[in-house]
Amino acid sequence: MTVALVRFTPGARTHWHSYAVGQTLHVTEGVGLVGTRDGTVLRVRAGDTVVCPPGEEHWHGATLTRS
């Protein structure tokens, strides 16, 4: 298992990516976004956990503001 603490500046996001074993994201503060290739974009907040299944292409990042 790999664990990382990542912070995004407003409006920043990752490139599209996927993991063979999937990825679990747990939001510890602020408001973020998680998008998938089917066009779904989830707004996530502190306390939310998102599971990206194995092989699913997705991105994650920050909103432009905290609202």
Side-chain angles (χ1 to χ4, degrees), residues 1 4 6 8 10 18 22 25 28 31-32 34 36 44 46 48 50 54 56-58 62-63 65-67:
M1 174 190 301
V6 179
F8 291 93
S18 65
L25 307 168
T28 59
V31 179
V34 179
T36 58
V44 293
D48 290 346
V50 177
E56 179 182 66
E57 286 192 316
H58 65 280
T63 58
T65 64
R66 293 188 67 143
S67 56

Side-chain angles (χ1 to χ4, degrees), residues 2-3 6 8 10 12 16 20 26-27 33 35 37 40 45 49-51 57 65:
T2 300
V3 177
V6 179
F8 291 93
W16 287 102
H26 182 73
V27 183
L33 301 169
R37 285 285 186 193
T40 300
R45 292 176 173 75
T49 299
V50 177
V51 176
E57 286 192 316
T65 64

